Amino acid sequence: MMAGSPTDSDPLEDRMAECFALPEEEWEDAVERLAAAHPEQADEIRERFETVRLLNRADAPAEGDPFPERLGEFQLLDRLGGGGMGVVFRARQTSLDREVALKLVRPEHLYFRGSRERFRREVEAIAQLQHSGIIAIHTVGEESGLPYFAMELLGGPTLSEVLADLSNRAPESLTGRDLWRAVVGEERAEDEPPALFRGAYVDACLEVARQVAEALAHAHGRGILHRDVKPSNVALRPDGRAVLFDFGLTSSARDDAVGRRVTRTGTLLGTLAYMSPEQVQGRGELDERTDVYSLGVTLYELLTLHLPFGGRNTLQVQARILAGAADSMRARNRRVPEDAETVCRTAMALRAQDRYASADALARDLANVLARHPIAARPPGAAVRALRWCQRNAAAAVAIALGVLLLVGLPSGLLVQQRRHAAELRRALEREQAARSSSNRALEGERGARREADAALRREQDAL
């Protein structure tokens, strides 16, 4: 187990954690007080503090700040990037004379057990995975109390960097060559690219998503969820290989209990725009379909250069995700085939049970689109499409509904009124006819009585 996990006991780390819990400007005085209180460990305390101080400056470099030159056998060359928990450096592993990507716990989180535990889980997760679409770990270790692991240096930009490079373009105008230029830069743009970059832009995006889906299927098959699939966690190499990395939010059945300790209940893990509805709601029952959803959002953004769920603030984005109100892909990029949109929409279905059951199933349907074969997913029916349109265009839907009421409701009201008047008239006629019939019967009775009286009178006269 990596040093510093919650099951280890290191009083020095606990004391240093108290120092780093203070504002940064108070760190040095707090460390000096700690060194004075523990003279037998003073040198180690100061050495650890100097490492953290230099790495903290390297993490947010300013002109004139010193840069740490080495970490054990690694010569640190430059900073590649970082997330909420870790920072990554390009480094040379001198023992093997190779360049690697060296990931460390972010300096400000170095002595906090939650960050160390998530760091450990990431190392263990990636170590279980052997796939060309998942970043490979070369070595793991610790230096001056600082845990690290060295990974393959990918040599290509992330998809988020590619998207930033293409952001001012119309997506339907792009070709595979444009994607190649974004990956290798202007200096190599005229070189002959691999097959991925020679055809249509849409096909290249579908192939990248297919590769990532296969990598996820490999991880899922070993009980590991990524939980933070997004463009900034996928690199695209010049050879056309897409590589998934940053398993810092990963989970497995074995680690579920640990995950609940490391992350407070209800905390949103990941990046909001790519979260599944169940993640936004903070529900714990995540499975493979959560990663499928996030990959669907990533594919949507690649194909359209827009996020499906925009908004002016976090609450608006959350509301649109929970409503499933994504804008039409083909309205943003008319070159997206209907089958490709159906695949993407199925991956992004609001309800988990309506999505692909696995990343492998998604990969197969992406391959079907690329091969121009029938896909397994079915497009939504007219009622579902109408509902989604109303969710995306609430104001217009209300206006149309009012118009329909005016156009249909007014004539209907007049018709009802006419029918009511006709019924009343019919009842009046029936009453009049009944009265006439009664009068006629009375008159006929009177006439009959007169005839009988006349007949009686005639009989009397005859008798005389």
Side-chain angles (χ1 to χ4, degrees), residues 327-349:
D327 293 327
S328 167
M329 295 178 66
R330 301 179 76 194
R332 294 188 179 277
N333 183 353
R334 55 188 173 82
R335 293 188 182 277
V336 175
E338 184 176 353
D339 278 356
E341 179 165 17
T342 297
V343 169
C344 193
R345 291 281 189 179
T346 303
M348 291 170 51

